[in-house]
Amino acid sequence: MKKKRIRSNSNSKSIKTHLMCVIGIGLATVFIVGGIYLSHFISLRFSTVSSVYFEAVAEQNVREVKLELLSAYDQCRSLSNTLSLFEEIPAEDRRSFFKKTLENLIRADNNYISVWTCWEANALDSLDSLYAGTNGTDATGRFIPNWTKMGAFVNEEVLQDYTGANWYTKPMFNKTGIIGEPETRVVQGQPVFCCTVSFPIRSSNGTPVGAVGIVFSLERLETLLGSIILYDSGYLSLISAEGANVIA
């Protein structure tokens, strides 16, 4: 009888040990699976939060970029409409009036580095030969003033290499305005990273007679986007329509 009890106790311990192992393995499995799920859930939530954060930051700055570009675009369109009314101004007053208009515009906006207009031969007032070699013209007498600004210094120059130039002929024969690709230009001897918006000028019968453009610095956009840091080292980039990395 004594031996039987010892065997029974031994079997009982073996069953308990087996049950504990099974329960332990089960709990371990639950913890592992639960940990994986929790990790995956947290990762998904973090990814979602990050995505929302990135979208919110991008959306806010897209608005800022649009405002910057649209400001120059709208201003240039308004300037184009003004110059297209040239036939309503006495021929002898057109050049001085338009030069003053361009000068006032560039002085009014610190972001503008160049405001120019280029006209076809004798299209403005049929007085090219009379004005040849004077301010705002070259030896041909064509009306081609280019007001430039660097800091507080404003200077009147004339356009160069305009004959058949894409920057001139493309907007002149375009139905709407054009925003050019970003580029580095030398303005008053200083390199400036900038962008040009240009519009056609048309006579009262719709004939293209010239073009007008505003060149604006991208410094404000560089400062705006450069000040944004996403988490520890992320940043925003501005990509042009041609795929060029404008600001990074």
Side-chain angles (χ1 to χ4, degrees):
M1 295 294 293
K2 203 171 188 179
K3 288 181 181 179
K4 285 183 181 180
R5 272 197 295 269
I6 293 173
R7 194 178 293 118
S8 176
N9 290 339
S10 177
N11 289 339
S12 178
K13 288 181 179 179
S14 176
I15 292 171
K16 287 181 179 179
T17 301
H18 180 70
L19 285 173
M20 289 178 67
C21 289
V22 171
I23 292 171
I25 293 171
L27 288 173
T29 303
V30 170
F31 282 129
I32 292 172
V33 172
I36 293 173
Y37 173 78
L38 184 60
S39 176
H40 179 64
F41 176 77
I42 292 173
S43 177
L44 285 176
R45 292 296 296 171
F46 181 75
S47 177
T48 301
V49 171
S50 296
S51 178
V52 171
Y53 168 66
F54 289 145
E55 289 177 4
V57 172
E59 183 179 347
Q60 172 61 33
N61 288 280
V62 162
R63 284 196 295 268
E64 296 288 342
V65 171
K66 280 184 177 179
L67 286 174
E68 190 77 17
L69 297 178
L70 286 176
S71 173
Y73 188 88
D74 290 342
Q75 188 69 70
C76 193
R77 177 170 53 192
S78 177
L79 185 59
S80 168
N81 291 336
T82 298
L83 269 59
S84 292
L85 297 174
F86 67 97
E87 291 162 304
E88 299 181 13
I89 303 171
E92 64 274 15
D93 296 332
R94 293 172 189 173
R95 297 188 184 226
S96 59
F97 178 74
F98 287 155
K99 282 201 295 183
K100 194 62 178 177
T101 300
L102 268 60
E103 180 187 1
N104 290 340
L105 179 59
I106 198 170
R107 289 185 183 278
D109 195 309
N110 292 330
N111 207 36
Y112 295 166
I113 59 174
S114 172
V115 180
W116 57 267
T117 185
C118 188
W119 292 66
E120 292 289 274
N122 279 312
L124 176 61
D125 49 20
S126 299
L127 297 174
D128 285 3
S129 60
L130 178 64
Y131 286 100
T134 60
N135 289 344
T137 72
D138 56 12
T140 68
R142 288 176 64 172
F143 190 54
I144 51 173
N146 178 29
W147 286 93
T148 63
K149 181 172 64 178
M150 184 58 62
F153 185 69
V154 176
N155 187 44
E156 182 187 8
E157 304 172 5
V158 293
L159 295 170
Q160 304 288 335
D161 304 320
Y162 54 84
T163 304
N166 190 53
W167 56 263
Y168 168 51
T169 58
K170 188 174 180 179
M172 183 171 67
F173 294 107
N174 200 282
K175 292 182 179 180
T176 60
I178 295 175
I179 297 180
E181 283 290 295
E183 59 180 336
T184 298
R185 286 194 179 194
V186 176
V187 179
Q188 297 182 12
Q190 299 295 322
V192 183
F193 192 47
C194 58
C195 191
T196 301
V197 57
S198 49
F199 271 79
I201 301 171
R202 294 188 176 91
S203 65
S204 57
N205 63 9
T207 302
V209 294
V212 60
I214 294 176
V215 184
F216 58 97
S217 170
L218 292 172
E219 183 180 354
R220 285 204 299 232
L221 289 182
E222 286 183 297
T223 301
L224 169 67
L225 298 185
S227 65
I228 300 168
I229 300 177
L230 303 174
Y231 293 116
D232 291 331
S233 58
Y235 58 89
L236 293 178
S237 292
L238 181 62
I239 309 298
S240 74
E242 300 295 325
N245 198 359
V246 181
I247 299 173

